[in-house]
Amino acid sequence: MKRPPLLAVILGTGFGSGFWPWGPGTAGALLATLMWLGMAHVLTAKALFAVTLALIVLFTALGTWAANRLEPFWGEDPKRVVIDEMIGVWIPLLGCPPDNAWYAWGAFALFRFFDILKPLGIRRIDRRRGGFWVQADDIVAGIYSLIIILIVRWAA
């Protein structure tokens, strides 16, 4: 039996977090949130924004590649592929102040809410097939979460 490419497995599973048996998507989003919180301690606000944006773009390209390589082995939109959850949670983190972890955890919770329930057209996007579409529903869930984060920050 042929094995999936190792690099695609490492990237697609969010450095292995997708193998977590009780909610791999939550594990991937949690890893990405913890990575962001770690970067928030060592980077300036502008640098954190730039790095997060670069990670979103880079991981979207890598995630498309990885999902396309893994689907023949694991089926369409495999649960173990969580690089899309990492991308999705980084999107609302773009709007979070780096010195307030409550916003980061709020971004995490909002993203998981939209990712799990898939309201407002997200479910329709989730039905599309292919490497990019594996990620598209999470990108939209991240954008909805970002909008709420920005409204809360504006109102506060």
Side-chain angles (χ1 to χ4, degrees), residues 33-135:
T33 303
L34 292 172
M35 290 170 63
W36 186 89
L37 286 167
M39 291 186 299
H41 285 291
V42 296
L43 299 174
T44 66
K46 287 182 183 180
L48 180 61
F49 182 88
V51 168
T52 305
L53 188 59
L55 286 171
I56 292 166
V57 172
L58 176 64
F59 275 52
T60 299
L62 292 172
T64 299
W65 173 82
N68 282 332
R69 297 303 177 282
L70 295 172
E71 281 187 336
F73 296 93
W74 294 345
E76 290 184 356
D77 199 359
K79 298 285 184 220
R80 289 179 276 197
V81 173
V82 298
I83 192 170
D84 49 333
E85 275 80 7
M86 296 176 77
I87 297 161
V89 79
W90 281 328
I91 293 171
L93 288 169
L94 286 170
C96 294
D99 59 348
N100 189 330
W102 288 107
Y103 275 98
W105 293 118
F108 171 81
L110 283 167
F111 169 71
R112 290 307 292 152
F113 169 81
F114 284 111
D115 186 34
I116 292 167
L117 295 182
K118 300 188 184 317
L120 305 170
I122 296 173
R123 185 163 313 282
R124 191 171 335 127
I125 294 168
D126 189 46
R127 292 185 188 122
R128 308 273 315 253
R129 297 295 164 223
F132 173 75
W133 296 105
V134 167
Q135 301 169 97

